[in-house]
Amino acid sequence: MNKLLVFSLPFLFSSVVWSGYLESDQDVLIPQEWAHVDRVGPTEELELTFALKQQNVHLLEEKLRLVSDPDSVQYGKHLSLEEVASLVRPSDLTEKVVHRWLQSHGITNCLTIRTQDFLQCTMTAETAERLLPGSRFHRYMRDGHYLVRSSAPYSVPDDVHHHLDFVGGLHRLPPKGLDLSKKQKSKAGFHLGVTPAVLRTRYNLTSADVGSVQNNSQAVAQFLEQYYHPADLAEFMAMFGGAFQHRSEVDRVVGTQGGGKAGIEASLDVEYIMSTGANISTWVFTNPGRHESQEPFLQWMILLSNMTDLPWVHTISYGDDEDSLSAAYMTRINTEFMKAGVRGISLLFASGDSGAGCRHLGKENTFRPSFPASSPYVTTVGGTSFKNPYKVTYEVTDSISGGGFSNIFKMPDYQTTAVNSYLKTVAASLPPKSYFNTSGRAYPDMAALSDNYWVVSNRVPVPWVSGTSASTPVVGGMLSLINDQRFMKGLPALGFLNPRLYKLNGKALFDVTEGCHYGCLDEQVQGQGFCAAPSWDPVTGWGTPNYPALLAVLLSD
């Protein structure tokens, strides 16, 4: 049902007028941690992804607003994948132009998807470099993993330029994984440690708060050569899941689990979404990329547009600096998020573990937002710590919690009142305005504990694991429980949560009002970014979930 669709292209030729670069007119910077291995041979096969221009993106955005706004008569009236496809599929002209261009270079081995807005084509490196003048493919290695990317910008013909958003498999390299145990030395041996029991106590989940309906499911997605081990999950649940009904196995793995050791990140995601979203069917999307030239995150996005049946909640602990990605690429990815949202799917992204971040531009510094955390079409989750690390107390900011303001995407209507109120209330203590974009999409939207988790990885209990990679699946699991209760009442899935979340105005969440996160280490801000404040703030959003209260307000349709 959900396989990629194969087709061959008619053989046509056309005259070519070359345009400028599709994504960027700057040199492509390969991060230093990627070591150059060699130039890709001319006959080596590559797989490139062509993002075809979609139709009716403005109508898609409006539809997302209507089905996500609880005050709309269309609230919860989500679309099927077929309805989404009929709305956004490329025009006949776009398909004809792109197909003709590919075929004129002898490229016939292509796959498309149900929405017909992506093509994945296999070709030799020599053909790819003729197809995309300027591109030069090289092999790079980091931590034993190999990728093929172009070290230079590419261009496309003028008549094709207007029918493509970008070509995947040339420029973007996966960001380096985070050291989730980086705080170990400072707190080792002196902390309560976060376990499922601690989370259930803090967020007021009882042993009865577990899933029960058949048509509910949740998922985590992994991209950075991270894999979970079933034996770790079983051991984790045996150690920490005794007080509530739970599952000890993942129901479905989409993709290929790699061999070798389990990753802390993957173990953390699976173990904790299945602890708060207890007894709910759980999927794992694992996509290292079938080929060195693939982009794993992009492959996951394409999968979402090609599967008719998907889990209702997805949590993703992945991000990159906004300034390292092209605006064309991020804008198209936002459209993919909208396509998921109108289907009733909730996408939760970790806000990152670098506070406000810092970008050094000569003598001037600015904060450095992260994407997809800065997307207006996902729910972004920040992090907190216990005020008293020795017992379950109220929460304060975790100084690593990612947050700030997008430099690319404008502030969405659903959050303008809350964010402008914050900016006005704390105006006297804000960082200089040269550090951030006051009119950009502000994040995170909410938060949960992100400090000092227990995880089982490679059959060993590991303490002091920290990061918003922990808080995100915790929130995701709770939203899955709420979906469970909604389905029992005959209500639709929550879908894109933000418009409804912001209308709650902080109701049903524990407000976090203490603490600041990291910023630039310079004379002006001296290592400090933004600080928590009453109501919404760009460190912890609206705060952390009070589960029974949140359940009550999200069941009141």
Side-chain angles (χ1 to χ4, degrees):
M1 283 290 290
N2 297 315
K3 292 182 179 179
L4 290 166
L5 309 174
V6 184
F7 68 94
S8 59
L9 304 174
F11 199 86
L12 295 168
F13 289 94
S14 68
S15 59
V16 174
V17 178
W18 292 102
S19 82
Y21 300 113
L22 190 60
E23 292 190 73
S24 171
D25 59 1
Q26 299 177 346
D27 290 338
V28 178
L29 298 177
I30 303 295
Q32 289 184 344
E33 68 263 20
W34 287 95
H36 182 262
V37 177
D38 57 20
R39 179 90 152 85
V40 174
T43 60
E44 288 191 52
E45 282 203 336
L46 306 179
E47 185 173 289
L48 300 182
T49 301
F50 300 86
L52 278 66
K53 286 279 187 188
Q54 298 150 314
Q55 298 188 99
N56 302 316
V57 173
H58 63 294
L59 296 179
L60 177 70
E61 183 170 27
E62 176 63 9
K63 187 67 175 178
L64 178 63
R65 185 188 69 79
L66 292 172
V67 300
S68 308
D69 180 355
D71 295 330
S72 164
V73 295
Q74 293 188 41
Y75 178 71
K77 295 180 179 178
H78 301 123
L79 303 185
S80 66
L81 178 58
E82 290 73 20
E83 290 170 324
V84 173
S86 67
L87 185 64
V88 303
R89 64 164 291 178
S91 68
D92 291 343
L93 177 61
T94 289
E95 290 188 0
K96 183 181 297 184
V97 168
V98 174
H99 292 181
R100 182 180 60 196
W101 170 57
L102 294 171
Q103 183 61 39
S104 70
H105 287 80
I107 299 167
T108 59
N109 185 9
C110 292
L111 308 172
T112 189
I113 62 172
R114 293 179 182 274
T115 50
Q116 297 183 271
D117 45 5
F118 284 104
L119 289 176
Q120 294 182 287
C121 300
T122 302
M123 67 202 75
T124 65
E126 182 178 40
T127 299
E129 290 178 0
R130 279 202 316 269
L131 180 77
L132 303 166
S135 61
R136 295 290 181 270
F137 288 92
H138 296 259
R139 185 171 286 101
Y140 300 90
M141 182 186 73
R142 182 183 70 188
D143 301 332
H145 302 300
Y146 293 86
L147 281 181
V148 168
R149 292 292 186 269
S150 171
S151 59
Y154 64 93
S155 60
V156 298
D158 191 53
D159 65 329
V160 176
H161 184 271
H162 304 293
H163 297 282
L164 285 177
D165 285 324
F166 65 86
V167 181
L170 281 93
H171 291 165
R172 286 165 292 279
L173 292 107
K176 194 167 181 60
L178 298 170
D179 179 4
L180 297 176
S181 57
K182 59 189 172 185
K183 299 184 186 178
Q184 178 172 343
K185 292 183 179 178
S186 63
K187 298 185 180 179
F190 298 103
H191 196 280
L192 170 73
V194 175
T195 64
V198 169
L199 291 167
R200 286 181 161 260
T201 298
R202 171 56 187 155
Y203 298 132
N204 295 320
L205 288 97
T206 70
S207 59
D209 291 317
V210 297
S212 60
V213 302
Q214 293 298 310
N215 61 332
N216 195 15
S217 56
Q218 59 191 2
V220 298
Q222 300 291 343
F223 314 109
L224 303 179
E225 300 287 349
Q226 281 273 336
Y227 312 106
Y228 90 100
H229 282 182
D232 291 339
L233 175 60
E235 184 169 334
F236 178 86
M237 287 302 182
M239 292 179 66
F240 298 116
F244 53 92
Q245 187 178 355
H246 61 268
R247 301 188 182 202
S248 297
E249 294 181 359
V250 166
D251 279 344
R252 183 173 177 185
V253 174
V254 181
T256 304
Q257 280 267 99
K261 291 185 176 181
I264 287 282
E265 171 83 63
S267 303
L268 174 71
D269 287 356
V270 173
E271 289 164 11
Y272 279 92
I273 197 172
M274 293 181 69
S275 296
T276 51
N279 207 42
I280 292 173
S281 174
T282 302
W283 298 18
V284 172
F285 286 81
T286 176
N287 196 332
R290 297 192 307 274
H291 189 279
E292 290 175 343
S293 61
Q294 283 191 337
E295 298 180 37
F297 177 74
L298 181 59
Q299 294 304 307
W300 171 73
M301 291 261 50
I302 291 170
L303 268 177
L304 296 191
S305 280
N306 202 45
M307 298 180 72
T308 53
D309 298 309
L310 285 169
W312 295 107
V313 173
H314 296 246
T315 77
I316 305 98
S317 303
Y318 176 91
D320 212 343
D321 298 325
E322 253 190 8
D323 57 79
S324 72
L325 302 167
S326 73
Y329 170 80
M330 290 186 286
T331 299
R332 174 56 183 265
I333 293 299
N334 276 342
T335 303
E336 300 307 305
F337 294 152
M338 286 190 269
K339 285 162 62 179
V342 296
R343 295 172 65 190
I345 296 167
S346 302
L347 299 179
L348 279 68
F349 278 85
S351 70
D353 297 346
S354 302
C358 188
R359 188 182 188 194
H360 307 285
L361 299 170
K363 295 182 179 179
E364 300 292 327
N365 291 334
T366 64
F367 294 151
R368 196 170 204 177
S370 175
F371 183 85
S374 65
S375 169
Y377 308 104
V378 302
T379 298
T380 304
V381 182
T384 61
S385 304
F386 281 126
K387 174 67 171 178
N388 182 340
Y390 307 109
K391 59 182 180 180
V392 178
T393 57
Y394 72 92
E395 294 161 78
V396 297
T397 292
D398 186 348
S399 56
I400 65 169
S401 179
F405 297 77
S406 173
N407 289 321
I408 304 296
F409 308 111
K410 70 181 181 67
M411 191 181 298
D413 291 342
Y414 61 73
Q415 69 170 186
T416 53
T417 300
V419 177
N420 288 332
S421 176
Y422 168 82
L423 293 172
K424 182 177 180 181
T425 302
V426 301
S429 58
L430 282 172
K433 290 189 176 180
S434 60
Y435 279 72
F436 65 102
N437 173 25
T438 57
S439 62
R441 181 331 194 203
Y443 69 96
D445 303 302
M446 58 192 303
L449 285 162
S450 57
D451 199 19
N452 291 312
Y453 277 63
W454 280 92
V455 175
V456 172
S457 189
N458 299 298
R459 306 301 295 273
V460 177
V462 180
W464 309 304
V465 176
S466 300
T468 54
S469 299
S471 54
T472 307
V474 165
V475 172
M478 282 187 263
L479 294 183
S480 291
L481 287 182
I482 294 171
N483 270 340
D484 212 80
Q485 293 295 312
R486 288 178 62 86
F487 295 157
M488 288 177 68
K489 288 185 65 175
L491 298 172
L494 288 169
F496 178 43
L497 183 65
N498 288 11
R500 185 161 191 176
L501 176 66
Y502 279 79
K503 285 192 174 183
L504 294 177
N505 203 35
K507 185 179 180 182
L509 294 113
F510 295 117
D511 196 6
V512 179
T513 60
E514 292 184 26
C516 307
H517 65 182
Y518 297 136
C520 296
L521 191 59
D522 58 24
E523 289 186 9
Q524 289 226 65
V525 297
Q526 299 182 22
Q528 183 173 291
F530 299 99
C531 296
S535 295
W536 183 91
D537 61 68
V539 189
T540 60
W542 284 108
T544 63
N546 180 2
Y547 176 74
L550 191 60
L551 173 64
V553 296
L554 293 180
L555 277 179
S556 60
D557 271 19

